[in-house]
Amino acid sequence: MRFHVLTLFPDMIINGMNTSITGRAMERGLIGLDAVDIRDYADNKHMRVDDYPYGGGAGMVMQAEPVYRAFEAVKTRISRPVRVVYLTPQGRVFNQELAEELAREEELVFLCGHYEGIDERVLEEIVTDPVSIGDYVLTGGELPAMVMMDAISRLVPGVLNNEESAVGESFQGNLLEYPQYSRPAVWREKEVPEVLLSGHHANVERWRREQSVLRTAMWRPDLLKKAALTPKEQEMINMVNK
Ligand code: ADE
């Protein structure tokens, strides 16, 4: 997977991605990162990339031409048509399903805006996927791009080792993950659920599944509608909700 990020703050992207699991994945060549400074494509000697909005109003707007030129430069390094994600609170809300879909691509372009946004005309020309990471407004698209790249990277084969495996975790099958415990078996008088100490694999699996269903019912009932539950599990939830 190779990420191309069009941004006014390439160092933020590089520093963020160089850390932890994504950093290791880049070292191992499983993930490539091409952070492109839009300012390098300014069309004036002052290297300005923003201007006042037509029609008035607060803030500045990123101009179309530098963004377009930066994208044209990136395109020369990509052989096929590529999805261009524009980070915006107006986009489709990012979730695990979209992460899985995007993880199947070989290359992705992320366009990060700042100020009051980007001239609509260049967005119309180049963006294929406007995406939001949630219903709140951030100062720019860099953090959302990093959130998306992190979620996508860990789905790329080889990025997680077996111990960190991406199976059975939250949102798989629209259920939250079951609770986890580690040593000691008693911590400040709180005991680890007994079934986990039993060594009985089938009972452990049954307990974990039940916990996933209960937890989702309690914390994210909106997800349950999309989860495939057995009639027994449905009955259990009806009891809890009474
Ligand atoms: N830019 C500013 N806020 C954002 C959000 N919530 N999601 C994606 N991009 C953004």
Side-chain angles (χ1 to χ4, degrees):
M1 168 65 74
R2 198 150 61 117
F3 298 122
H4 305 264
V5 187
L6 306 175
T7 170
L8 290 174
F9 301 95
D11 290 346
M12 184 172 170
I13 300 290
I14 292 165
N15 292 335
M17 289 294 286
N18 268 335
T19 308
S20 186
I21 292 176
T22 47
R24 191 182 67 193
M26 290 204 290
E27 265 172 28
R28 291 164 64 207
L30 296 168
I31 284 169
L33 178 62
D34 172 29
V36 179
D37 191 342
I38 295 169
R39 200 175 298 281
D40 289 344
Y41 297 89
D43 57 353
N44 58 80
K45 65 175 190 285
H46 306 290
M47 302 308 264
R48 276 195 61 177
V49 293
D50 61 327
D51 208 334
Y52 296 99
Y54 275 119
M60 304 293 272
V61 174
M62 282 170 67
Q63 293 168 291
E65 186 62 15
V67 172
Y68 191 71
R69 286 195 197 180
F71 177 63
E72 289 286 295
V74 160
K75 257 200 335 202
T76 64
R77 301 194 277 276
I78 304 176
S79 52
R80 286 194 252 169
V82 67
R83 286 173 80 164
V84 180
V85 174
Y86 173 49
L87 290 313
T88 166
Q90 299 177 12
R92 161 185 180 188
V93 179
F94 188 54
N95 60 15
Q96 193 65 22
E97 195 183 337
L98 183 53
E100 282 162 16
E101 183 186 318
L102 293 174
R104 291 194 284 272
E105 301 287 324
E106 277 173 30
E107 318 229 15
L108 287 170
V109 175
F110 291 92
L111 171 59
C112 306
H114 246 267
Y115 315 117
E116 286 305 306
I118 301 180
D119 189 306
E120 191 68 21
R121 292 167 295 183
V122 70
L123 298 179
E124 286 167 7
E125 282 298 312
I126 72 175
V127 173
T128 60
D129 296 81
V131 179
S132 164
I133 62 159
D135 290 342
Y136 41 84
V137 181
L138 299 165
T139 56
E142 284 74 15
L143 285 172
M146 284 195 275
V147 164
M148 289 186 65
M149 288 189 286
D150 189 288
I152 292 164
S153 295
R154 60 194 294 291
L155 299 175
V156 171
V159 168
L160 297 186
N161 60 40
N162 274 343
E163 287 182 14
E164 300 156 340
S165 157
V167 290
E169 64 196 7
S170 291
F171 303 112
Q172 288 262 328
N174 285 296
L175 290 175
L176 301 182
E177 200 186 17
Y178 47 79
Q180 298 274 20
Y181 301 86
S182 185
R183 285 194 289 182
V186 182
W187 175 77
R188 298 192 182 219
E189 293 169 25
K190 289 170 86 81
E191 289 174 15
V192 169
E194 207 175 321
V195 60
L196 299 179
L197 309 175
S198 68
H200 192 302
H201 191 67
N203 282 354
V204 169
E205 286 308 305
R206 207 171 300 127
W207 180 84
R208 285 181 166 169
R209 169 79 189 183
E210 190 179 286
Q211 290 295 312
S212 279
V213 172
L214 286 174
R215 193 161 264 224
T216 311
M218 201 145 65
W219 293 348
R220 291 294 306 275
D222 58 303
L223 285 179
L224 267 192
K225 289 184 214 100
K226 291 185 279 176
L229 300 182
T230 64
K232 243 180 146 172
E233 286 168 345
Q234 194 55 58
E235 205 177 303
M236 174 174 77
I237 288 165
N238 295 343
M239 297 255 291
V240 174
N241 285 343
K242 259 191 205 146

